[in-house]
Amino acid sequence: MVINKKGRLYNIAGMKIKICSSEFAMFRNLDLFVCEDHSEIMLEMVVKANSKISEPVGFLLINKDVKWVAISEGIYSHSLYFCDEETKTILCRADVNYEWGLAEITYLKNCPQAEGMVAGFLLEIIFRNRIIFNQGVVIHASAVSYKGLGIIFTAPTQTGKSTQAKLWAKHLGAQVLNDDRPVLRLENRRTRVYGTPWSGEKRLFLNKAVELNAIILLEQAKENRLKGLTLSTSCAQILPRCFLPYYDLEIMDKCLKTLGEMLLGVPVYLLECKPDREAVDLVFRAILNRQKYL
Amino acid sequence: MVLIKVDYKEKDADRLKLKNGFLCREVAGQWVVVPLGERVVEFNGIMTLSESGALLWRNMDSEVDEEDLVKLVLSEYIIDEDTAREDVREFVVSLKENGLIE
């Protein structure tokens, strides 16, 4: 890979990323995460504009909005691209190596839509897979930090993850680390939860991290009730909420190992709840009580 | 002689082998099975297995029949043969119902 363009460094969820590009306006969403430290870069990306982007040749793994091709030759093993279905034009393409530590992104010149995709979902997909190699996993959840306590609320879409996080902010003054897709990382056998720049449409995130003290599974109910879950129950509910690497056995294995270690150390609760202050207090008291006995 | 032959044929027709493309792992003490690659389209979800279910699953990568599985259960658990046979039957039926057998 030839790196002759201007590079910038970002530290996202404790993972350093170097981006080489002649244009940085499109990376404004990452501004909170800029860093100066050149040591231990875990992901290097070269980004360039082109007037035409070729379709990658290989085996089509995923055929959704973002197409995903397995490449058998060269240093890259995967190619992701987005094609405008009407014009059949490829707007952007990312070629990445097996461990997701090297990436080459090409986007269509003079196309604002393509520029938005580079720092948006393309970089997010690369990041989400690279973090697995660094004992991390992205989970579909809303994460809050309050007085050094880290809590994530997770549930199927539309159950009220963001509502609970918002209630914590309103009643206790908690900070929302990421409203939709925070990162969990295993560090010295403890789990930390990190904010990332990708949090859905609301763009609600911080460049902060805190130790994870509880995972709260949510269910809407008429009365508030909190109960601790056994590992076997919680495991079956939490895994589907994580962005798992279904495309590769070895990477999946790595990811499940990390998640297993995390779940052994972090209590999981089921919160049947209404969107009110009582639900907040119930969780807060349970976490405080548990902290007392640690 | 005839009876033995019939038994043999029935057993032969009942060879069991799991479809490939699944990963069975213990995560925080819970056995889970996740689909991989193309299997994700057919099996969009994560299955959980009991410890004995996981033992059976991990021994079904190559062809076996129900009797092999009963023997396996009997060698690992203190359990009477009838219960073992019933458990294995139930497990195999559920695998078949979920389209997990080749």
Side-chain angles (χ1 to χ4, degrees):
Chain A
M1 190 159 66
V2 186
I3 301 174
N4 52 9
K5 292 177 180 174
K6 208 177 146 202
R8 248 183 227 185
L9 290 162
Y10 300 92
N11 185 341
I12 303 177
M15 190 170 84
K16 270 167 238 152
I17 300 172
K18 182 174 183 178
I19 298 178
C20 296
S21 173
S22 49
E23 174 57 66
F24 275 94
M26 70 181 105
F27 294 105
R28 240 176 266 137
N29 64 327
L30 310 181
D31 280 355
L32 266 183
F33 297 82
V34 167
C35 84
E36 303 294 332
D37 182 3
H38 283 254
S39 64
E40 292 182 71
I41 293 167
M42 303 307 293
L43 169 59
E44 290 197 35
M45 284 191 4
V46 174
V47 181
K48 51 196 177 188
N50 223 324
S51 48
K52 191 173 180 339
I53 300 167
S54 61
E55 192 178 326
V57 180
F59 179 73
L60 187 64
L61 283 175
I62 296 171
N63 188 11
K64 291 190 179 166
D65 289 349
V66 181
K67 298 194 193 326
W68 188 319
V69 172
I71 310 171
S72 49
E73 285 177 8
I75 61 162
Y76 298 117
S77 68
H78 288 114
S79 186
L80 316 167
Y81 66 100
F82 184 90
C83 184
D84 183 323
E85 288 305 328
E86 272 179 33
T87 60
K88 300 286 171 210
T89 312
I90 296 178
L91 300 187
C92 54
R93 166 178 167 173
D95 289 12
V96 292
N97 69 341
Y98 178 76
E99 297 189 335
W100 298 82
L102 285 177
E104 204 172 308
I105 293 184
T106 320
Y107 64 95
L108 202 61
K109 216 180 233 176
N110 305 320
C111 174
Q113 194 192 353
E115 287 179 18
M117 287 170 178
V118 173
F121 68 79
L122 268 191
L123 179 52
E124 184 183 3
I125 294 173
I126 296 168
F127 169 83
R128 186 194 285 166
N129 285 289
R130 180 61 180 152
I131 199 90
I132 296 171
F133 290 85
N134 293 279
Q135 294 201 294
V137 63
V138 176
I139 183 164
H140 198 201
S142 189
V144 298
S145 157
Y146 177 60
K147 291 193 174 173
L149 299 173
I151 302 125
I152 60 167
F153 299 98
T154 185
T157 315
Q158 298 294 326
T159 309
K161 296 184 288 282
S162 298
T163 307
Q164 284 300 320
K166 217 191 282 172
L167 287 166
W168 273 68
K170 181 182 163 192
H171 295 298
L172 302 177
Q175 292 181 311
V176 179
L177 293 181
N178 186 301
D179 196 38
D180 200 53
R181 301 189 289 277
V183 165
L184 306 182
R185 282 192 75 178
L186 199 60
E187 294 171 6
N188 302 320
R189 318 202 79 186
R190 286 172 173 262
T191 303
R192 283 172 78 74
V193 53
Y194 284 85
T196 71
W198 305 284
S199 67
E201 282 169 18
K202 271 191 272 171
R203 299 177 56 82
L204 192 53
F205 59 82
L206 291 169
N207 180 9
K208 278 190 177 173
V210 67
E211 185 166 336
L212 183 64
N213 298 94
I215 299 176
I216 314 287
L217 291 164
L218 294 176
E219 256 177 36
Q220 291 177 356
K222 293 216 166 73
E223 297 299 327
N224 290 313
R225 199 164 61 166
L226 184 74
K227 60 175 180 191
L229 294 181
T230 59
L231 277 173
S232 53
T233 319
S234 54
C235 192
Q237 303 213 37
I238 288 166
L239 293 192
R241 308 266 80 80
C242 299
F243 289 87
L244 300 178
Y246 290 102
Y247 59 89
D248 186 277
L249 190 144
E250 278 173 40
I251 305 176
M252 177 66 93
D253 208 17
K254 204 181 276 291
C255 188
L256 293 181
K257 262 187 205 141
T258 303
L259 272 165
E261 270 197 61
M262 286 176 178
L263 289 173
L264 287 174
V266 182
V268 181
Y269 299 91
L270 171 69
L271 176 66
E272 296 167 321
C273 63
K274 297 185 288 181
D276 63 12
R277 167 83 197 231
E278 192 190 42
V280 175
D281 292 339
L282 210 52
V283 173
F284 186 42
R285 274 201 307 272
I287 295 170
L288 285 187
N289 276 336
R290 191 176 185 277
Q291 295 296 105
K292 266 192 232 163
Y293 300 107
L294 285 180
Chain B
M1 270 310 273
V2 175
L3 272 177
I4 293 167
K5 242 182 163 178
V6 172
D7 272 344
Y8 179 75
K9 269 188 182 166
E10 273 181 4
K11 266 175 79 181
D12 197 40
D14 230 12
R15 300 297 282 177
L16 305 163
K17 187 172 185 281
L18 286 173
K19 284 185 181 169
N20 60 10
F22 293 97
L23 179 65
C24 177
R25 283 286 180 274
E26 194 180 9
V27 180
Q30 170 65 53
W31 284 95
V32 298
V33 173
V34 291
L36 293 165
E38 292 163 60
R39 291 282 179 230
V40 181
V41 185
E42 295 166 64
F43 302 92
N44 188 9
I46 287 159
M47 290 168 272
T48 54
L49 294 177
S50 63
E51 202 186 302
S52 53
L55 171 75
L56 296 175
W57 180 286
R58 285 176 292 138
N59 281 279
M60 291 175 74
D61 283 348
S62 52
E63 272 195 8
V64 288
D65 60 34
E66 283 193 28
E67 273 315 298
D68 299 329
L69 297 177
V70 171
K71 276 183 210 150
L72 181 67
V73 171
L74 288 171
S75 70
E76 293 286 327
Y77 295 95
I78 303 168
I79 185 176
D80 66 85
E81 202 173 322
D82 286 347
T83 315
R85 188 159 281 118
E86 211 174 292
D87 287 356
V88 165
R89 185 92 277 263
E90 208 179 295
F91 183 70
V92 169
V93 166
S94 113
L95 291 179
K96 284 184 177 167
E97 278 174 0
N98 288 293
L100 294 159
I101 303 272
E102 263 184 3

